[in-house]
Amino acid sequence: MSKEFTPIGELGKKVGEKVDLRGWIHRTRSGKDMTFIVLRDSTGTVQCVIKEGAKGFPDAQAALRESSLTLVGTVHKDPRAPTGVEVRVSELKIVGPAEAYPLKEGTNPEVLLDKRHLTIRSRKITMTLQVRSAILGAIHEFFRQRGFYEVQSPSITKMACEGGSTLFKVDYFGEEAYLSQSWQLHAEAGVHALEKLYCVAPAFRAEKSRTRQHLAEYWTAEAEMAWCTHEESLRLQEEMITHVVQTVLKKHKKELEELGADITKLEKVKAPFRRVSYREVLDMLKKDGIRMEWGDDLTGTQEKALSKHFQKPFFITDWPKEAKAFYMLENPKDPKTVLCADLEAPDGFGELIGGSARETDVKKLLANLKREKADPKPYEWYLEVRKFGSVPHCGFGLGIERLTMWICNLDHIRDAIEFPRTINRVYP
Ligand code: 4AD
Ligand code: MG
């Protein structure tokens, strides 16, 4: 029979009991006849005290940070400890000894990223990845509860969805192809079969920019709905964000507090979210003394200034045609704009979601592709979908790392993913 090990996070309920623990040495400090080990597992950390005479004491004294071990001990109340308990060890066994840890406090962030395979063990990254996992769980739950089918589309394609400038080229058996920027174009074909579909998938952007909000490989949750109006799509988006934030708060309040997230603010993230048009945005920024011209995309500074006016995420609707992708539906009330919306996070965390109603008029799509100087050939299948029972449809794409970054209040998007890919990093 294998032993039962208690997760460190549950020790608070075991005061006075004898427990078996397993984990890694987070910190260690030794006196002559006593060693203090802060032991870490995926659920938390706890201070363990082992005295001379206990079984395994010499090994405990010699063990370095990140050594893995098992121990037997008794749980004692300790009001000074962050977890409220301490473990007094009667027996300890090293499982995998560690070499001298190569990183110190204050190590350069780029070096920390070179050692990402080790630094993911930090409490900060561990907790962030736990929140991220809950975010993804809540997204799947949300779509499945609403009768959406999960669909996978190819990661290697012949066409750009979001413009040619951020395409990663792939040598596809001698033919030029690209890593997918979005599942959307294939999903638009799929709605004619399944009507409501979603995916969770990687997306690739050869972003030349070095910002705290861009990755070259990121994860996205995208949805596409047949027979859907733009307003219905916005409602779905705000309900999804509400569901995800409230579910994650219920499950991971402790971790979010430890990460420094603003719990009170997150508790208020409930639909509806405000809708402001692009024109209104120009006015708001003008009043703040910030210039932005018709057709411009928002810069980080503009995004930050604008988000000061909002406590919750907010939609920016009706963007100028020339600022957006070829597939967006012309706004029937204002043909200079398209029926689209970006959902912006508060506090300058940037765009969480991009979405729109889709153009179904083949002539207009061809004209838009021409405007983007794109070769229409690879889009032939996409245009053909419109010739066989086309229906009004809408869709959107959410950036998983952007959402994680905002919820966890992270300084940089790279900490929202286990192994980040950026312009200067494809290792480890
Ligand atoms: O706004 P985007 O480019 O929209 C699309 O890809 C549409 N095809 C989605 C759709 O309608 N199905 O990207 C969607 C979201 C953005 O709002 C942002 O959150 C995230 O993806 N995103 C990035 N996240 C990290 N790094 C990057 N380089 C990102 N580019 C976009
Ligand atoms: Mg966008």
Side-chain angles (χ1 to χ4, degrees):
M1 268 276 287
S2 65
K3 266 191 209 168
E4 275 238 0
F5 289 91
T6 304
I8 290 174
E10 286 173 23
L11 287 176
K13 294 183 266 177
K14 302 258 175 181
V15 174
E17 288 180 40
K18 194 170 163 195
V19 291
D20 284 274
L21 302 183
R22 58 184 168 192
W24 292 262
I25 298 181
H26 191 54
R27 275 196 304 275
T28 176
R29 170 165 64 88
S30 278
K32 211 166 108 250
D33 49 7
M34 214 188 299
T35 292
F36 297 92
I37 287 173
V38 175
L39 190 69
R40 167 180 59 78
D41 71 7
S42 60
T43 66
T45 59
V46 67
Q47 173 157 285
C48 304
V49 190
I50 178 163
K51 287 186 180 163
E52 188 165 21
K55 209 167 161 192
F57 176 73
D59 290 342
Q61 221 177 13
L64 300 179
R65 174 179 173 185
E66 292 308 330
S67 300
S68 55
L69 59 85
T70 59
L71 63 79
V72 186
T74 340
V75 186
H76 289 259
K77 256 210 168 105
D78 180 2
R80 287 163 309 173
T83 46
V85 293
E86 174 184 277
V87 174
R88 300 193 188 148
V89 181
S90 53
E91 200 179 324
L92 182 147
K93 193 166 163 246
I94 299 295
V95 175
E99 297 181 8
Y101 198 63
L103 305 166
K104 285 199 253 336
E105 214 149 298
T107 304
N108 172 313
E110 283 304 317
V111 178
L112 291 178
L113 285 165
D114 287 339
K115 298 284 184 192
R116 189 70 166 184
H117 47 291
L118 298 178
T119 53
I120 44 173
R121 301 178 186 198
S122 76
R123 281 296 296 154
K124 181 182 168 185
I125 307 282
T126 300
M127 289 188 297
T128 305
L129 293 175
Q130 287 166 342
V131 171
R132 179 188 165 110
S133 167
I135 288 173
L136 284 161
I139 288 171
H140 283 289
E141 191 178 67
F142 177 84
F143 283 120
R144 283 165 185 268
Q145 276 171 358
R146 278 165 180 73
F148 277 69
Y149 295 100
E150 184 178 1
V151 164
Q152 287 74 37
S153 67
S155 289
I156 305 174
T157 77
K158 286 290 288 177
M159 60 223 282
C161 182
E162 301 299 328
S165 66
T166 61
L167 282 173
F168 273 113
K169 251 186 232 168
V170 175
D171 175 357
Y172 193 74
F173 305 110
E175 184 180 341
E176 186 171 307
Y178 313 101
L179 294 180
S180 173
Q181 294 169 315
S182 164
W183 84 319
Q184 178 196 324
L185 303 181
H186 291 87
E188 285 191 59
V191 293
H192 298 82
L194 293 163
E195 298 190 40
K196 296 200 287 188
L197 37 141
Y198 82 99
C199 78
V200 173
F204 304 90
R205 306 277 168 106
E207 297 276 1
K208 306 286 184 315
S209 51
R210 294 163 200 261
T211 76
R212 60 181 203 120
Q213 287 167 343
H214 287 92
L215 292 166
E217 178 180 8
Y218 70 94
W219 281 74
T220 171
E222 298 193 73
E224 197 71 29
M225 298 78 68
W227 314 107
C228 180
T229 65
H230 184 48
E231 178 51 33
E232 283 166 344
S233 172
L234 296 191
R235 253 180 272 147
L236 192 73
Q237 294 171 46
E238 61 193 7
E239 280 167 21
M240 175 184 70
I241 296 292
T242 304
H243 175 76
V244 171
V245 170
Q246 297 311 319
T247 305
V248 171
L249 262 178
K250 230 178 269 161
K251 220 170 170 169
H252 286 294
K253 198 164 175 180
K254 189 172 89 43
E255 285 76 16
L256 288 169
E257 270 167 357
E258 232 182 291
L259 284 165
D262 190 334
I263 306 289
T264 337
K265 240 181 177 175
L266 289 174
E267 279 168 349
K268 289 187 191 138
V269 176
K270 293 196 174 143
F273 300 156
R274 272 177 64 192
R275 289 118 166 90
V276 289
S277 70
Y278 181 88
R279 285 181 207 275
E280 288 171 283
V281 165
L282 293 189
D283 285 345
M284 287 170 91
L285 287 174
K286 200 170 169 192
K287 279 188 194 134
D288 290 341
I290 297 166
R291 263 177 77 106
M292 183 169 156
E293 302 294 335
W294 177 263
D296 287 351
D297 203 355
L298 282 168
T299 64
T301 323
Q302 288 159 344
E303 240 165 13
K304 203 162 189 172
L306 186 67
S307 70
K308 291 218 170 77
H309 296 274
F310 303 86
Q311 293 297 310
K312 294 197 288 188
F314 58 99
F315 289 107
I316 305 178
T317 65
D318 307 298
W319 285 68
K321 215 180 237 177
E322 61 270 29
K324 289 294 181 189
F326 77 96
Y327 53 73
M328 294 192 179
L329 182 66
E330 190 177 279
N331 191 345
K333 290 193 192 127
D334 179 6
K336 282 178 87 173
T337 66
V338 279
L339 270 189
C340 71
D342 286 356
L343 184 72
E344 290 281 328
D347 299 316
F349 277 92
E351 182 192 319
L352 300 174
I353 299 181
S356 76
R358 315 306 193 190
E359 185 60 77
T360 51
D361 182 324
V362 174
K363 277 199 205 100
K364 284 189 177 148
L365 284 166
L366 280 169
N368 294 347
L369 283 170
K370 202 169 169 192
R371 189 189 69 216
E372 286 192 5
K373 298 190 176 65
D375 173 12
K377 183 93 180 114
Y379 296 86
E380 268 172 9
W381 69 264
Y382 175 79
L383 299 170
E384 193 174 51
V385 171
R386 267 74 178 150
K387 297 178 185 167
F388 294 89
S390 194
V391 293
H393 60 289
C394 290
F396 59 87
L398 160 77
I400 300 295
E401 291 77 17
R402 294 273 181 92
L403 182 62
T404 307
M405 186 187 172
W406 165 57
I407 292 179
C408 296
N409 192 21
L410 305 175
D411 295 331
H412 202 291
I413 196 166
R414 63 187 170 218
D415 284 337
I417 188 163
E418 202 178 11
F419 292 101
R421 296 286 177 254
T422 53
I423 187 167
N424 57 352
R425 179 161 300 280
V426 66
Y427 174 94

